[in-house]
Amino acid sequence: CMPLLKNNPFITDIWLHLGAEDALPEGGNVTIPFSRLKNEWESLAKFPGQLGAVLSNTDHAEDVAHFLPHLALVVLPFPAFVDGRAYSIARQIRLLGYRGELRATGNILPDQFQYMAQVGFSSFEVSERFPLESWQQASKQMSLAYQRGLYRRVGEAEVWSERHADTAPEPTPWEEQPHAG
């Protein structure tokens, strides 16, 4: 079991991670593959505990949109350092309005931590090869974000806003402009 990083400390994972064929427990917090969620939705909708889904890098955010209001956790894998599809899926899931826990798992490194947080990841299943201090330091390395909107961390400013802080905004074309006459 890999350490789980959430809100800067390592925490205990309270989720039971099941495969496609594993029997469901009577309740609790359970993650299952997204393919199983789709195939067994009618019975899973009655599950008394919290449900989570593990997506693959080939799943599409639009396909999971219907289920998002019912999920407490969405897990997105990073199978290889060079495979960044989970970044896009995470961002799209957040843009669809998902406010639950979004977890990164797999081959992730401390230097990716802030980018993952900026697209909406809120927990990280990390390798034991990096100590907690490496992750905590990585969480503070950047104080500016390129993304606008909801997914910036507290205290993080937008690059554009910081670059243009000393200039008054130009009026937009749709604002009423004074005219002669």
Side-chain angles (χ1 to χ4, degrees):
C1 186
M2 294 173 46
L4 182 62
L5 182 65
K6 187 174 181 182
N7 299 323
N8 265 345
F10 286 142
I11 63 167
T12 302
D13 190 357
I14 60 169
W15 291 85
L16 176 61
H17 304 283
L18 300 178
E21 304 297 324
D22 295 329
L24 282 175
E26 296 292 319
N29 301 327
V30 175
T31 65
I32 57 173
F34 180 56
S35 58
R36 180 176 181 181
L37 182 73
K38 289 188 297 189
N39 294 336
E40 300 176 23
W41 177 242
E42 290 201 21
S43 63
L44 288 170
K46 299 172 191 147
F47 182 71
Q50 291 193 84
L51 279 176
V54 179
L55 278 63
S56 73
N57 282 346
T58 58
D59 289 320
H60 299 282
E62 312 83 55
D63 297 338
V64 75
H66 167 75
F67 303 100
L68 289 175
H70 309 286
L71 298 176
L73 172 65
V74 174
V75 180
L76 296 172
F78 285 83
F81 173 73
V82 296
D83 189 342
R85 291 177 284 180
Y87 284 104
S88 299
I89 297 169
R91 179 77 173 150
Q92 292 165 359
I93 286 174
R94 290 296 190 199
L95 289 172
L96 288 169
Y98 182 69
R99 297 284 177 254
E101 183 178 345
L102 190 55
R103 183 178 299 177
T105 187
N107 191 358
I108 57 176
L109 302 171
D111 64 345
Q112 299 170 306
F113 182 84
Q114 288 250 305
Y115 299 111
M116 290 179 174
Q118 288 177 2
V119 297
F121 285 102
S122 54
S123 66
F124 310 84
E125 193 175 291
V126 299
S127 167
E128 292 178 346
R129 73 183 203 196
F130 298 103
L132 176 60
E133 295 78 30
S134 295
W135 295 101
Q136 290 173 332
Q137 183 179 6
S139 74
K140 298 179 230 171
Q141 286 182 331
M142 289 188 279
S143 61
L144 296 175
Y146 282 101
Q147 289 83 5
R148 290 184 154 210
L150 304 173
Y151 309 108
R152 287 179 290 121
R153 299 174 72 113
V154 173
E156 207 174 51
E158 297 169 354
V159 171
W160 188 92
S161 298
E162 288 297 308
R163 284 184 183 158
H164 298 55
D166 296 335
T167 61
E170 293 291 322
T172 57
W174 54 85
E175 290 178 343
E176 187 174 329
Q177 302 292 319
H179 49 282

